[in-house]
Amino acid sequence: MMMLVSILIPLLFLGSFAFITSSRVTEEKTKLSGIETLRQMDGNLRFIIQDVENISLFLISQGDVQQYLSSASEDEKVRSRIVGMMMNLASSKKYITDISIVSRKFPTAMSTATLYDSSLPQQVDIRKVTDKMWTGVYQVKDYSGLKNVITFIRPLRSTHHYGDLGWLAISIDEKAISQYWSQPKLGEGRGQVALVNEEGLILSATEKDWLAKPLEELYPGLTREFSANLYGSMTYGEGANKQTMLHFREPSVGWMLIGMIPYDQYSAQNRYILQLTIAAVALAAMISVGLILFVAQRVTNPLRLLTRLLAKIDPDAPLPLFPTNSSDEIGKLGESYNMLGRHIEKLKAELIRNEARKKEADILALQAQINPHFLYNTLSSVHWIALMADEKRIADMVEALSDFLRISLNQGKEFYPVRQEIAHIQNYAQVQAIRFPDKFNIDFIIDENLQDKYMLKLLLQPLVENALIHGIQKKEGGGTITVYLEQKGGMMCFLVLDDGIGMTEERLAAVRANLLPNANREQKELHGSTSVSYGLRNVNERLILHYGLDAGIEIESRLHAGTRVSFSIPILEERDENHDS
């Protein structure tokens, strides 16, 4: 309890101070961000005001306009050119809805839009305007419906004698300029923006219900609170209606951008600080409790862990290690437990080695029962007897069988040159050719540079045997088996191809499943292939054991078209023939 009190009281004071400070910082940061947002909006507004001024200066000094308004009678050709020019200007600016020129002499005004109705006369009598001015927002109606517009009006005088010729009016669509009040967003999108003229009337706003209303009607006394500075901020209202008011003046026309940010936005942000403070206090309390429990249970927990380890011992798995991080009595006990586990593992490894040696000795004893020299001598005697009896086919078959067995044994070595593997296949083919005359032919396409490279013995003969038994013999007529060997980079690529009966897709899937490792036995049983293609599986397992998983064989087959079996192994020099020992 003393530890908890000593930690929680300072944290509570620190959290309260952080909450008050962050509230002030958040409010000030929001005000500065809001002023900067109004500054960006004012930049867009200033561009529009300046652009309208420039267009008006261009039009009043344009030669056709001066000529038309100064002439005694209306010239339709000049009038058409002027209207076309004004339409081009209006269409190039998306915020301009209409450009009009009113002549002092002629009754018909030139305009780029056809207005069915306009509230401009209620705003100002254009023929009484003596200096440039901006109107308030008012409504006009054209073919697309009602629009809210703001109009810039200036007298149009002669460039020669400065006499009054008429008036120029350029109307701006309020909807187009109000898009600038929504991007960038004020107050994270919760703030409102209003554009107010010198008379305090709202020209544009995010809330369309405010248009043409006095600002004082919506926010009584607000205008008097604004300073004469270019920009500023203040707090307006009380309770739930409390808001931060921002303003930014546009000195060129005397307008003012006003931003309103709800005060509860700060509360939402400050609630995060409050929640963070509460979370920090709770976390500190939990850490303190955890430290106390750690100190109290430092002795009992290691003993409980050791008890659980002893209760869950698996005879087939190593003893789990006991973490010893201390040198006290419990640490000594844990070290003794770990030493016992290591000793047991050492005894188990020694027992496994002894069993392996015993099996190896049994295999060697079994092999010793077959005396290779006795077998060779016996086959040699049968060969000579066959020759003496003029039985050449028997003699050739016995000679091929003798060479076949000699190469298979290979003096107990696992590796021999590629040429010896090819000779082994030739001997096998010779024996089978006597059994099945005119049934098959075997072709060899061998890269001569690979003849003396070393490979694992007895890899190709089972594949050739598989092609003969399962492919050629089941086919009507004769067939051909092709053994192909080429070098690709540092690999020897073998291919055994036959034009036998081939396999169906189901049979091919079963054979492929039969080649999978034991970990995929369920998939083998799914295809019912646990007893098919023993020769292929044996070759595949030997390839994987000696060369790795990437050396496994690949099988492709089509029914009545044939089968191809391929694999790739690294190129070995003579000095590496016993590399797997």
Side-chain angles (χ1 to χ4, degrees), residues 77-96:
K77 291 185 178 179
V78 177
R79 180 187 176 92
S80 298
R81 288 201 301 269
I82 294 172
V83 173
M85 176 181 58
M86 292 192 304
M87 292 185 70
N88 288 336
L89 287 172
S91 62
S92 66
K93 310 291 182 179
K94 64 179 182 179
Y95 49 81
I96 294 180

Side-chain angles (χ1 to χ4, degrees), residues 225-444:
E225 300 292 335
F226 286 141
S227 66
N229 296 330
L230 179 64
Y231 58 86
S233 63
M234 59 169 290
T235 301
Y236 182 88
E238 297 293 338
N241 297 323
K242 191 176 181 180
Q243 291 180 301
T244 296
M245 296 293 186
L246 310 173
H247 75 275
F248 196 97
R249 298 182 183 276
E250 173 48 51
S252 63
V253 290
W255 294 350
M256 185 163 54
L257 278 168
I258 300 175
M260 304 89 167
I261 302 176
Y263 215 78
D264 60 358
Q265 178 177 330
Y266 309 135
S267 302
Q269 296 183 20
N270 293 335
R271 276 196 297 270
Y272 171 75
I273 303 298
L274 182 60
Q275 293 170 358
L276 185 63
T277 303
I278 295 174
V281 173
L283 180 62
M286 288 189 294
I287 292 175
S288 300
V289 172
L291 290 174
I292 294 171
L293 292 176
F294 170 76
V295 173
Q297 298 182 5
R298 185 176 179 183
V299 176
T300 58
N301 281 346
L303 292 177
R304 291 176 182 172
L305 175 60
L306 184 59
T307 302
R308 287 197 298 269
L309 293 178
L310 292 173
K312 296 181 179 181
I313 290 178
D314 184 359
D316 298 325
L319 287 178
L321 290 178
F322 177 79
T324 55
N325 300 319
S326 62
S327 57
D328 55 11
E329 292 80 359
I330 297 176
K332 297 294 183 181
L333 179 62
E335 291 178 359
S336 300
Y337 166 82
N338 291 337
M339 186 182 301
L340 175 63
R342 289 192 292 269
H343 184 64
I344 292 175
E345 286 301 307
K346 181 178 178 181
L347 293 177
K348 287 171 64 177
E350 185 175 348
L351 179 62
I352 292 173
R353 283 196 299 270
N354 291 338
E355 289 294 326
R357 289 174 182 172
K358 181 179 178 181
K359 290 182 180 179
E360 183 178 356
D362 292 341
I363 293 174
L364 292 175
L366 181 62
Q367 290 180 346
Q369 294 178 10
I370 303 176
N371 191 323
H373 297 288
F374 172 76
L375 186 61
Y376 296 154
N377 292 335
T378 302
L379 291 174
S380 179
S381 299
V382 174
H383 176 254
W384 283 108
I385 292 172
L387 288 177
M388 293 175 62
D390 201 19
E391 293 289 345
K392 189 174 187 310
R393 293 181 63 201
I394 297 176
D396 292 342
M397 189 173 186
V398 171
E399 183 180 14
L401 178 60
S402 177
D403 291 339
F404 180 83
L405 293 175
R406 178 179 54 81
I407 294 174
S408 298
L409 294 174
N410 192 35
Q411 298 179 353
K413 297 180 180 180
E414 287 290 327
F415 291 81
Y416 56 29
V418 171
R419 66 172 67 255
Q420 197 165 338
E421 179 78 356
I422 301 302
H424 185 58
I425 299 174
Q426 291 171 339
N427 290 326
Y428 171 78
Q430 184 176 353
V431 172
Q432 295 290 29
I434 296 174
R435 292 182 59 199
F436 309 105
D438 301 325
K439 183 61 179 178
F440 72 97
N441 293 321
I442 185 165
D443 296 331
F444 296 91

